[in-house]
Amino acid sequence: MTDAATSTPDQFEVVEEEDVSTRPGDGALARAAHQRDTTIGRWGPTSPSATQIGRARSPEEDVSENLRRLHDERHPATEGHGARQHRLEKLRITHALCNDLDVTPWQRDRALGVMVDLDLTAFGSQRAIEKVALVTIRHVVDDERERYLGLQDQEWLAGQSPERLEALYEQFTSITDEPHFEELAEKHGLEITNLNRLRRVLREQLDEQDLHGAVYGRNPYRDPNLPSADLRDSEEDVESRDERGAE
């Protein structure tokens, strides 16, 4: 028997690397590999229930009540998870549409404040988050533009001349007339008749749910042009720390 310590390099076989073939068809899946993948794939999940946590004892039986409560989000560990996810999804989609439409930060926060607490079931078959979000953004933007021109002050409008009223309404431009909003509305299956009908439903829900003054993360009765109180407090904390460091 030859000792491994006294072996010479000539005793080891040198294996040359094979060249990779680039001929047509060489990169195709081999028949044996395909048969092997097919055989193994038979043991994969074949139904949604197979991907759930836990398994039943037999195909005729169901999972335990504890696991069923977990899957149905009735377990204390997952209670309210679906509602939280729905709330976050409304915020995410509405925020993305506001950024895409390039609305002002105040208009964005107003739309978010309405959408985050709005019950979408009243919109029936049109309750998709994208559709209701576009209707809400249209309402918020048009409402602000109407208020800026004074078109919602009925007492003031009653004292204006017909020429003045015509000039005011000519100055008003709805967001529905902007090309990008029209593209988004068409993409999500909204026509002008649907927008008007859904806006009436939205106004009814704003009255019922008391969401007219809803603004996400802001005080609706505060001037948005003023610096936030949190910013002033943080600046005061920095100044106090600098003074203590100097002492």
Side-chain angles (χ1 to χ4, degrees), residues 80-94 112-113 115-118 129 216:
H81 176 73
R84 291 192 297 271
Q85 289 297 109
H86 181 62
R87 177 185 175 91
L88 292 175
E89 195 71 359
K90 289 193 295 184
L91 285 173
R92 183 186 67 82
I93 294 176
T94 306
L112 291 173
M115 282 294 297
V116 72
D117 293 324
L118 185 65
I129 298 178
Y216 188 73

Side-chain angles (χ1 to χ4, degrees), residues 70-143:
L70 185 65
H71 298 322
D72 295 342
E73 296 183 0
R74 292 183 286 112
H75 194 277
T78 59
E79 185 177 1
H81 176 73
R84 291 192 297 271
Q85 289 297 109
H86 181 62
R87 177 185 175 91
L88 292 175
E89 195 71 359
K90 289 193 295 184
L91 285 173
R92 183 186 67 82
I93 294 176
T94 306
H95 197 286
L97 289 173
C98 288
N99 290 343
D100 198 11
L101 291 169
D102 196 23
V103 301
T104 65
W106 178 252
Q107 294 169 347
R108 176 202 63 203
D109 291 345
R110 282 194 61 195
L112 291 173
V114 172
M115 282 294 297
V116 72
D117 293 324
L118 185 65
D119 185 7
L120 306 186
T121 57
F123 294 86
S125 60
Q126 304 293 323
R127 63 177 178 271
I129 298 178
E130 295 84 352
K131 294 183 178 182
V132 180
L134 285 173
V135 174
T136 303
I137 295 171
R138 180 264 179 106
H139 171 76
V140 167
V141 174
D142 286 1
D143 179 77

Side-chain angles (χ1 to χ4, degrees), residues 222 226-234:
R222 185 178 178 280
L226 294 176
S228 64
D230 297 338
L231 179 61
R232 292 199 300 270
D233 293 342
S234 62

Side-chain angles (χ1 to χ4, degrees), residues 83-211:
R84 291 192 297 271
Q85 289 297 109
H86 181 62
R87 177 185 175 91
L88 292 175
E89 195 71 359
K90 289 193 295 184
L91 285 173
R92 183 186 67 82
I93 294 176
T94 306
H95 197 286
L97 289 173
C98 288
N99 290 343
D100 198 11
L101 291 169
D102 196 23
V103 301
T104 65
W106 178 252
Q107 294 169 347
R108 176 202 63 203
D109 291 345
R110 282 194 61 195
L112 291 173
V114 172
M115 282 294 297
V116 72
D117 293 324
L118 185 65
D119 185 7
L120 306 186
T121 57
F123 294 86
S125 60
Q126 304 293 323
R127 63 177 178 271
I129 298 178
E130 295 84 352
K131 294 183 178 182
V132 180
L134 285 173
V135 174
T136 303
I137 295 171
R138 180 264 179 106
H139 171 76
V140 167
V141 174
D142 286 1
D143 179 77
E144 185 172 303
R145 293 177 180 179
E146 290 172 357
R147 291 180 184 275
Y148 178 79
L149 295 174
L151 298 178
Q152 295 186 356
D153 190 345
Q154 300 299 326
E155 183 177 354
W156 180 78
L157 290 176
Q160 304 301 315
S161 62
E163 294 79 8
R164 175 61 174 167
L165 291 177
E166 183 179 359
L168 287 174
Y169 281 105
E170 287 181 355
Q171 293 180 29
F172 172 75
T173 302
S174 174
I175 192 175
T176 57
D177 298 330
E178 298 180 4
H180 192 45
F181 186 90
E182 293 179 355
E183 294 176 1
L184 287 175
E186 182 179 359
K187 176 182 177 181
H188 296 290
L190 287 175
E191 300 178 354
I192 189 64
T193 54
N194 292 338
L195 285 170
N196 294 335
R197 181 178 61 84
L198 293 176
R199 189 183 184 185
R200 290 193 294 269
V201 177
L202 176 63
R203 285 171 171 168
E204 295 175 358
Q205 294 304 307
L206 293 180
D207 293 335
E208 293 181 7
Q209 303 180 38
D210 192 21
L211 295 174

Side-chain angles (χ1 to χ4, degrees), residues 56-75:
R57 294 182 178 179
S58 67
E60 292 77 15
E61 297 183 7
D62 198 355
V63 296
S64 64
E65 179 60 24
N66 191 30
L67 286 175
R68 178 61 60 193
R69 290 172 59 235
L70 185 65
H71 298 322
D72 295 342
E73 296 183 0
R74 292 183 286 112
H75 194 277

